[in-house]
Amino acid sequence: MLMICITRKHQLVMSNRQLPCLETYLDKALLYLWPRFKTVFDMYLQSLYRCDVKMLSVDGTRPHHIVRCYVEFTASLVQLNAECGDGQLDMSLERLRLAVDDLLVRFAEKFATPKLQHLFLLNNYDMAISILKEAGEEAKKLQRYFEEKLECNLISFVDELLMEHFGDLIKFVKIHICKLKKTVAQVHVIVVTHRKKTENDSFVFLAEDLISYTEPPNIADVEPVVKNFAVKWKNALELMHNEVVTCCSNLLSGMAILKAAMAQLLNDYNRLSECVKMIPGGSSLNRNLVSITSISYEIRKYSRTL
């Protein structure tokens, strides 16, 4: 590819100087170089697909050196293609992207848990984005692709991380609270209808309609979730923080992961608190509920220390 670029530069120089004497020679050189480049490029692709990841070591969830090599190779080709590729490399670069992505997924499958798989992919996608940023505007399209892949895996990793440390809360919210979404819209219509009456009346009707429409869990369902959270939430936040700091190869990415996890945790616990208020006898759990202010304070503290 470098030889192709040099030949094109020579063609440009000769053309600017109005010296056609080497035009035929340079054209023949390109006709020879492009097929040879594509042959070697196909060999690279085949080596990626034929790679037996079971025979290769993986340094934890850190970015893999083979993936780094191919991302750097891709970034170089992107820059050269912008200078002198004349669009002939576009399809080859797309094939290379698919091959690198396939290799990453196969590497990730070596890890035992989905959480570690997503973490490995996160670190590698983040590394790929950093390299492609250095390649300039020419690599923007490829960079956006890896950014989308990183975002999808970040969401999945956050789900796995919260499930590990706050499993009972997350399961409770998914089973019970999400069922309220459709009902909330129904209740909203009812509230608007009853606002023609007094404000106090609307609150009375709201409480009655919530009970009849939502079928909320009973106190026995929610009590262990509330009490368990009250006991372990601070320690669990610390464990989450330490895990993210230790496992993420990029500090900024670690901060984004931690903020996303803690924002989702705060949102889910707020839903739980609202659900407790709807349950008959739920007021008996008020002393066990952790205030949203307290959780927010701890979240801000860890965000600063990261």
Side-chain angles (χ1 to χ4, degrees):
M1 192 62 205
L2 287 171
M3 292 171 68
I4 289 171
C5 286
I6 291 171
T7 304
R8 286 194 177 280
K9 295 288 186 182
H10 284 162
Q11 283 183 319
L12 182 61
V13 170
M14 298 294 284
S15 175
N16 290 337
R17 295 176 180 177
Q18 296 183 349
L19 297 173
C21 55
L22 291 177
E23 185 175 340
T24 302
Y25 170 78
L26 295 176
D27 284 340
K28 287 182 178 180
L30 288 176
L31 288 174
Y32 171 80
L33 288 170
W34 271 117
R36 180 61 187 162
F37 168 82
K38 291 176 180 177
T39 299
V40 177
F41 188 86
D42 287 341
M43 292 168 61
Y44 273 97
L45 286 180
Q46 290 304 315
S47 70
L48 276 172
Y49 283 115
R50 292 174 182 173
C51 174
D52 186 0
V53 295
K54 295 178 181 178
M55 303 296 293
L56 300 173
S57 61
V58 177
D59 182 19
T61 57
R62 301 288 175 179
H64 200 278
H65 65 279
I66 292 179
V67 178
R68 173 180 286 276
C69 286
Y70 275 94
V71 173
E72 289 174 345
F73 175 56
T74 303
S76 300
L77 289 180
V78 167
Q79 288 180 294
L80 293 175
N81 185 46
E83 288 186 36
C84 48
D86 197 24
Q88 293 193 52
L89 263 184
D90 292 342
M91 183 61 69
S92 296
L93 286 171
E94 177 67 14
R95 292 168 61 206
L96 182 59
R97 177 188 66 76
L98 294 173
V100 171
D101 214 10
D102 175 76
L103 180 65
L104 268 173
V105 172
R106 286 188 287 131
F107 269 130
E109 290 173 351
K110 294 182 69 173
F111 294 93
T113 65
K115 188 185 78 170
L116 291 177
Q117 292 175 2
H118 291 303
L119 182 58
F120 174 79
L121 291 173
L122 275 174
N123 284 330
N124 280 274
Y125 288 141
D126 182 72
M127 175 267 295
I129 292 167
S130 299
I131 293 173
L132 293 169
K133 281 181 179 178
E134 297 176 2
E137 290 295 320
E138 293 79 12
K140 282 291 185 184
K141 180 180 178 181
L142 192 57
Q143 179 186 328
R144 284 194 295 269
Y145 170 79
F146 282 113
E147 285 173 346
E148 291 172 0
K149 299 289 286 187
L150 184 141
E151 184 177 351
C152 292
N153 276 276
L154 188 148
I155 295 170
S156 299
F157 176 73
V158 165
D159 288 340
E160 295 292 337
L161 187 66
L162 290 176
M163 185 63 73
E164 179 179 326
H165 295 283
F166 298 96
D168 52 351
L169 169 63
I170 303 303
K171 290 177 183 176
F172 182 88
V173 169
K174 286 182 177 180
I175 293 173
H176 297 287
I177 308 300
C178 291
K179 292 180 180 178
L180 303 181
K181 287 183 177 179
K182 184 177 180 180
T183 307
V184 168
Q186 296 172 335
V187 171
H188 178 70
V189 174
I190 294 169
V191 172
V192 171
T193 303
H194 291 310
R195 284 190 184 214
K196 295 178 181 178
K197 301 188 178 184
T198 65
E199 191 67 24
N200 290 335
D201 287 340
S202 67
F203 281 119
V204 171
F205 278 107
L206 174 60
E208 291 175 355
D209 289 328
L210 274 171
I211 294 171
S212 62
Y213 275 91
T214 60
E215 298 181 4
N218 56 46
I219 194 75
D221 294 326
V222 74
E223 184 175 6
V225 180
V226 172
K227 290 185 175 180
N228 188 38
F229 184 90
V231 170
K232 73 173 190 179
W233 72 277
K234 283 190 177 182
N235 184 53
L237 282 181
E238 184 178 0
L239 291 174
M240 283 173 52
H241 170 266
N242 294 339
E243 182 176 356
V244 170
V245 169
T246 304
C247 296
C248 286
S249 57
N250 184 307
L251 184 64
L252 293 177
S253 294
M255 183 182 294
I257 291 170
L258 195 61
K259 285 183 177 180
M262 293 189 172
Q264 183 174 327
L265 173 65
L266 188 64
N267 186 45
D268 285 346
Y269 190 75
N270 186 49
R271 291 179 179 181
L272 175 68
S273 301
E274 293 300 319
C275 184
V276 170
K277 296 176 184 178
M278 301 177 190
I279 298 173
S283 57
S284 63
L285 296 175
N286 286 345
R287 65 180 182 275
N288 301 112
L289 287 172
V290 181
S291 69
I292 300 299
T293 304
S294 298
I295 301 175
S296 299
Y297 174 78
E298 290 293 321
I299 289 175
R300 286 195 298 270
K301 183 174 71 174
Y302 283 117
S303 298
R304 289 193 296 268
T305 57
L306 185 62

